[in-house]
Amino acid sequence: MASLAMAGDRGVTPTEIRLGASVVLSGPLGPQTLEFGEGSRLYFDAVNAAGGVHGRKIVYTTLDDGFDVKRAVENTRKLINEQGVFMIYNNTGTAQTGAILPLAEESRTIIFGPVTGATAFRNKVNPYLFHVRASYADEARRIVSQLQNTGISRVAVLYQDDGLGKTLLTELQQAAATAKISFTAELKLDPKAPDYAGAAAATESAQPQAVLLGVAGDTMTNFIKATWQTSLRPVFYGFSIANVDLIRRDLKEQARGIVLAQIMPPLRNTTIPVVAEYHRALREKNPSAVPSAFQLEGFVHAKLLVEGLRRAGRNLSTTSFTKAMEDAGEISFGRFAARYSPSSHNGSSYVELAIVDNTGQLRY
């Protein structure tokens, strides 16, 4: 028991709080994951420059797993056992999070803010898992509600045939069942050997008015390009994992009209306190830097984590952090709010829909 208690509290020294994560730094999802890290480090750097958290500086280490589950487990084991991190912060992936949970539980190491919206992790409280972002179920319900409000009845789903895509498909199916609507077609795409032309042709055959995309990275943009080569002109809906910067770059004027669920406040609405704070920190670091929605998400994750670390007090431990978060109730940064209690570690349920305009920007 003594060794287990100590295991969960490693990584806290008189001068440091060590955080780590296995993340996707290479492959199609690499660019947006790098942005998450940039946003987090932007906030951590500001906190460290102001003296840290109760005198301790935050040190954040990330290891690339290329979205491979086995590598994610190996990386996480290394971070916990060899590098002695206090917490796994902002790791990437649904299957990856499920695979590393046993390591976290065994070592009493908290996983905070994983980049996954899977409902399975939220149905029951895990004492070592704290979410920040809204769930994929929240996003799916918002998308399906929009379809109902606009009277769209012929709807197809295109999903990537892996853990992420299947999770998004399940969430859409459940939201549709609750709303008593059915999909015209459910089509899958192998992300490792994608046949975009074939998927586009199959989608054209279904003649949907809207296509819901359970995909991420350039899989999304390549499929949309292929669809535009057919006669079909549907409205495309995507989840928050879609990278609007990549969409703007790859699709240019063809990006107009794509609807994306967003789980963070509007990037350019600086009347929202946390958004204004992000812009200010970014300008101070680099006046010519371009704001990024994924950076903002990383920034919000980091700000919420630091709030918990501060509330945990000077005698930081897994136990004191957990109690601080569970006692927190609602933590609000203006329009974005997360809620924690002993019966829920689910964080935020904030979801809005935004449409890509003719300049490639999101309009809410």
Side-chain angles (χ1 to χ4, degrees), residues 24-251:
V24 186
L25 300 178
S26 58
L29 295 180
Q32 67 196 59
T33 307
L34 286 165
E35 293 291 296
F36 286 139
E38 286 293 315
S40 290
R41 289 184 175 92
L42 185 65
Y43 189 78
F44 292 151
D45 287 349
V47 169
N48 289 343
V53 180
H54 299 301
R56 298 182 176 105
K57 302 294 180 69
I58 296 173
V59 178
Y60 181 37
T61 301
T62 53
L63 302 177
D64 181 28
D65 58 38
F67 211 48
D68 179 83
V69 174
K70 183 178 179 181
R71 286 173 62 189
V73 172
E74 292 170 351
N75 286 346
T76 304
R77 183 177 288 112
K78 182 182 297 183
L79 287 164
I80 293 173
N81 294 340
E82 297 178 17
Q83 300 192 23
V85 298
F86 171 64
M87 184 181 292
I88 300 298
Y89 165 77
N90 214 202
N91 65 290
T92 315
T94 298
Q96 290 78 0
T97 299
I100 69 171
L101 266 174
L103 296 177
E105 292 165 353
E106 180 183 5
S107 63
R108 299 181 71 250
T109 303
I110 289 171
I111 299 174
F112 187 91
V115 184
T116 173
T119 302
F121 299 135
R122 292 166 164 82
N123 288 336
K124 182 180 178 181
V125 174
N126 184 311
Y128 300 107
L129 182 60
F130 286 86
H131 299 284
V132 175
R133 58 177 13 240
S135 70
Y136 295 143
D138 292 326
E139 296 186 45
R141 284 191 291 267
R142 184 68 182 83
I143 290 170
V144 168
S145 174
Q146 177 71 6
L147 296 175
Q148 289 182 298
N149 291 339
T150 54
I152 293 176
S153 58
R154 296 194 314 277
V155 181
V157 179
L158 185 283
Y159 66 98
Q160 58 190 58
D161 191 15
D162 60 11
L164 171 64
K166 291 174 183 177
T167 296
L168 298 179
L169 172 65
T170 299
E171 303 293 8
L172 288 168
Q173 289 171 332
Q174 292 177 350
T178 300
K180 294 182 172 55
I181 67 173
S182 58
F183 297 132
T184 304
E186 295 174 2
L187 308 165
K188 62 184 178 182
L189 185 66
D190 183 352
K192 295 182 179 178
D195 178 6
Y196 295 113
T203 305
E204 182 185 26
S205 297
Q207 286 294 297
Q209 297 164 285
V211 180
L212 314 186
L213 299 171
V215 298
D218 60 10
T219 303
M220 180 178 185
T221 55
N222 286 331
F223 170 73
I224 292 175
K225 285 179 185 176
T227 303
W228 284 116
Q229 296 301 310
T230 72
S231 63
L232 194 64
R233 294 294 179 268
V235 179
F236 294 102
Y237 286 80
F239 283 78
S240 62
I241 52 173
N243 187 335
V244 69
D245 296 323
L246 176 67
I247 290 170
R248 184 188 308 116
R249 186 195 72 198
D250 285 5
L251 297 179

Side-chain angles (χ1 to χ4, degrees), residues 282-342:
L282 187 64
R283 284 196 306 270
E284 289 173 356
K285 181 180 179 181
N286 181 359
S288 63
V290 178
S292 155
F294 287 120
Q295 277 190 21
L296 174 61
E297 181 170 348
F299 190 88
V300 170
H301 274 70
K303 184 174 175 65
L304 193 58
L305 171 64
V306 169
E307 181 65 24
L309 295 173
R310 285 176 173 149
R311 293 185 183 208
R314 294 185 180 277
N315 296 322
L316 177 61
S317 67
T318 298
T319 300
S320 69
F321 180 85
T322 300
K323 187 177 189 309
M325 294 305 290
E326 290 184 343
D327 290 348
E330 179 176 286
I331 301 173
S332 176
F333 300 145
R335 202 151 151 186
F336 177 88
R339 297 168 183 84
Y340 299 99
S341 72

